[in-house]
Amino acid sequence: MYNVSVSITTDTINTKGEATMKVTRTAQKINMDNIVDISVDVHKDTLCFFFEIDGAEFSYTCSNRTTIIEKRLISYRDIALEHGRKGLRIICEPTGQFQNKLMRTARRLGFFTNYVNAESVAKFRVVESNDNNKTDKKDPRVINTLGKLNKVIRFRMIGEKYLMLRKLHKICDECDVAITSHRCRISKLLVELFCDYSFKKDFLYSNSGLALVAQYGCNPYRIVDDGYQIFCRKMRKAAPRIMSRTLERLWEDANSSVLNVLPPGYVQVLEQYLYDRLDDYFNVLERKEKITEQMVEILEKLRLDDPLIPPPTPHVISEKNLARLLAETGPLSDFANWRKLMRYAGLNLKTRQSGTYQGQNKISKKGRKLLRKVLQAIVLPLVKKGRLYGEFYHKKKDETKMPGNKAMTIVARHLLKKIFGWYRSGEAFDERRFFTCQSRYETMAKAA
């Protein structure tokens, strides 16, 4: 186990003669022989502790409350000191939010903290006891064994700004899910209320569609009752640029829909429900915009603390998408190399091979799911023809007959790697450098 310190100087000069910040990472190895591993099986209301020291085993179950956790950890520290040890390392599985009280209390008391992968615990349970049984007494022992083998994951403590950014992004993603849900329900409701409505889903959210909602609540019976002339006059007043062909089509759809007779009271219920759903939709949309503004403001503050954070670049990445990306990665300076960042995102490759059998290489999908989702959203507009990844993407898709989702994953991996390199370099974005290896780029630069 290593304790990493970071020193920052500003005496580096880039290729343009500009001063840039140099980040130097130094690692000091910690002697884990003097540290006692405390393995914990975490539940919503209880914690099951287990540790070994000088041949003696200790196990205890207590409530998952901060004051009780603190007393328990202090008592274990005293036991460790009595046996000549210098500290504790708390190891547990991540269990949603239930482990946070334990890990934060341990950090506050100055102890080391690590996670173990839940899948590793499940599989190693079979290795250790040769059965699939799962109990509160067995799991801490399995976690303890994984700790002895040092098969642990770092418990990251990101700063306040990154913590705020990550939480805001989580709320923003929930807003995206809610927006999609509202639109689906509105479309389904519209099929019932205005059964022969022939326009695409996006029309309802345009100026003309919103005028239809404001004037008639998408109720075809009210449209027909007004008559064509009054209908056209009201719609043109609410949406002056609406096309005549659109009005004619809406009128035809309304006349066709009223042939499917519904009780007036039922129609009124559907219309009111549509209004309520649209209000909910626009409220969530407004909330998402406010959250996005907050994220951008935090990113600007982070850039003051870390000038290496890349600036927004047209046709590459916007300020909003950069904020979303950093919300999931946390400080990029935490990663020693791009491979660790790729593993954190779950974009590292896994291989299946045995004898003459050679399976397909696939991404592990073991990292942050939301980070992969953000990367897919960022690269989607970049793979269009004429954009940054247009040629790269279509060459793989058309010439090598690669499935589109696999090509998109390759682009996402490539972009994440390049953003990490862009951050480390501290230089402005250079498209010529983007698809060229360092040695070739330096040769081209010298030739120029």
Side-chain angles (χ1 to χ4, degrees):
M1 187 173 179
Y2 294 85
N3 186 19
V4 179
S5 60
V6 178
S7 60
I8 301 177
T9 59
T10 56
D11 58 355
T12 307
I13 306 297
N14 64 15
T15 55
K16 296 183 180 179
E18 301 170 338
T20 59
M21 183 175 291
K22 180 180 178 182
V23 179
T24 305
R25 300 174 65 89
T26 58
Q28 300 174 342
K29 192 170 184 179
I30 299 170
N31 184 6
M32 296 306 295
D33 293 336
N34 293 324
I35 303 297
V36 178
D37 283 344
I38 310 293
S39 55
V40 189
D41 189 25
V42 179
H43 302 275
K44 178 182 178 181
D45 299 317
T46 58
L47 300 176
C48 301
F49 291 88
F50 174 81
F51 66 98
E52 296 176 317
I53 185 168
D54 293 341
E57 294 184 352
F58 298 82
S59 59
Y60 190 81
T61 300
C62 72
S63 298
N64 192 359
R65 280 183 67 86
T66 305
T67 52
I68 296 175
I69 293 170
E70 183 174 355
K71 291 177 182 178
R72 183 55 42 189
L73 292 180
I74 290 173
S75 69
Y76 291 157
R77 180 193 60 189
D78 294 341
I79 294 173
L81 293 175
E82 288 174 5
H83 287 78
R85 305 299 195 274
K86 294 184 178 181
L88 307 178
R89 179 171 69 163
I90 312 303
I91 309 173
C92 71
E93 298 175 79
T95 56
Q97 299 295 321
F98 301 129
Q99 82 285 352
N100 285 340
K101 287 182 281 187
L102 170 68
M103 301 302 263
R104 288 170 183 165
T105 302
R107 277 297 183 96
R108 179 165 53 83
L109 294 173
F111 304 142
F112 297 109
T113 50
N114 282 110
Y115 284 138
V116 286
N117 186 282
E119 185 179 2
S120 300
V121 174
K123 292 182 176 178
F124 203 81
R125 194 184 295 132
V126 180
V127 174
E128 186 176 60
S129 58
N130 202 31
D131 61 54
N132 287 316
N133 296 332
K134 182 187 185 310
T135 65
D136 293 341
K137 291 184 178 180
K138 183 177 180 180
D139 280 358
R141 292 175 177 270
V142 175
I143 293 171
N144 187 263
T145 305
L146 288 169
K148 290 178 181 177
L149 298 172
N150 208 30
K151 303 299 181 182
V152 294
I153 303 170
R154 179 185 172 192
F155 172 71
R156 289 181 77 194
M157 291 287 287
I158 59 178
E160 180 185 7
K161 294 185 183 72
Y162 277 104
L163 202 61
M164 292 168 61
L165 196 63
R166 179 167 290 184
K167 190 61 179 179
L168 285 171
H169 184 237
K170 178 66 176 175
I171 299 170
C172 186
D173 183 66
E174 290 172 357
C175 288
D176 279 333
V177 174
I179 287 168
T180 303
S181 175
H182 283 313
R183 289 186 66 137
C184 289
R185 289 177 179 272
I186 289 167
S187 296
K188 187 176 180 181
L189 182 60
L190 203 57
V191 170
E192 192 173 5
L193 175 62
F194 199 161
C195 59
D196 286 324
Y197 176 83
S198 61
F199 291 82
K200 292 184 177 179
K201 295 177 181 179
D202 289 338
F203 174 79
L204 190 65
Y205 306 96
S206 66
N207 289 336
S208 299
L210 293 175
L212 180 66
V213 173
Q215 297 299 319
Y216 292 100
C218 292
N219 185 340
Y221 300 92
R222 289 173 57 193
I223 294 172
V224 173
D225 288 344
D226 264 359
Y228 182 68
Q229 297 301 326
I230 297 176
F231 165 68
C232 290
R233 188 163 61 248
K234 285 185 176 180
M235 289 295 292
R236 287 190 188 281
K237 185 177 180 180
R241 301 184 65 180
I242 190 170
M243 297 176 65
S244 298
R245 179 57 192 148
T246 302
L247 292 171
E248 292 172 5
R249 188 172 159 190
L250 282 169
W251 177 255
E252 291 170 3
D253 292 347
N255 277 278
S256 178
S257 296
V258 296
L259 297 176
N260 296 276
V261 181
L262 291 174
Y266 185 67
V267 172
Q268 189 177 1
V269 170
L270 293 176
E271 185 180 337
Q272 184 58 50
Y273 189 42
L274 179 66
Y275 280 128
D276 294 341
R277 275 292 173 188
L278 283 167
D279 284 343
D280 292 342
Y281 168 78
F282 286 112
N283 286 336
V284 175
L285 205 61
E286 184 180 359
R287 190 183 311 131
K288 181 189 172 184
E289 290 174 359
K290 289 181 180 178
I291 290 169
T292 303
E293 290 173 3
Q294 286 181 268
M295 292 175 66
V296 171
E297 289 174 4
I298 293 172
L299 177 59
E300 291 171 356
K301 294 177 182 178
L302 285 171
R303 198 173 273 117
L304 295 175
D305 299 334
D306 186 358
L308 291 178
I309 295 176
T313 305
H315 309 299
V316 180
I317 190 167
S318 65
E319 191 82 329
K320 181 188 77 172
N321 282 335
L322 194 57
R324 294 179 66 195
L325 184 69
L326 291 177
E328 293 306 311
T329 62
L332 290 174
S333 58
D334 285 355
F335 300 94
N337 54 62
W338 65 268
R339 291 180 180 83
K340 290 188 177 181
L341 177 59
M342 207 71 70
R343 191 177 184 87
Y344 187 73
L347 289 172
N348 56 305
L349 298 179
K350 63 176 183 179
T351 305
R352 294 182 65 85
Q353 183 272 331
S354 178
T356 58
Y357 171 76
Q358 183 65 49
Q360 293 182 344
N361 290 338
K362 298 181 180 180
I363 59 172
S364 67
K365 295 186 179 180
K366 299 296 183 184
R368 293 190 68 83
K369 182 179 179 181
L370 201 49
L371 176 52
R372 297 195 297 275
K373 182 179 178 180
V374 170
L375 282 168
Q376 292 288 337
I378 293 172
V379 302
L380 185 60
L382 299 182
V383 298
K384 294 179 181 178
K385 291 183 179 179
R387 299 296 294 273
L388 181 65
Y389 278 102
E391 184 180 352
F392 180 86
Y393 171 79
H394 287 282
K395 184 177 180 180
K396 289 190 174 294
K397 191 168 180 282
D398 299 335
E399 294 183 13
T400 63
K401 305 300 179 184
M402 183 179 290
N405 59 343
K406 187 174 182 180
M408 286 288 285
T409 302
I410 291 174
V411 173
R413 279 173 49 86
H414 188 270
L415 180 66
L416 184 60
K417 179 180 177 182
K418 292 300 181 180
I419 288 176
F420 181 74
W422 186 9
Y423 169 82
R424 293 289 289 270
S425 71
E427 297 184 4
F429 176 79
D430 185 353
E431 189 170 345
R432 295 175 303 166
R433 178 74 180 86
F434 208 72
F435 295 101
T436 309
C437 66
Q438 184 174 355
S439 59
R440 185 181 175 188
Y441 179 76
E442 290 174 352
T443 303
M444 291 168 60
K446 289 178 182 179

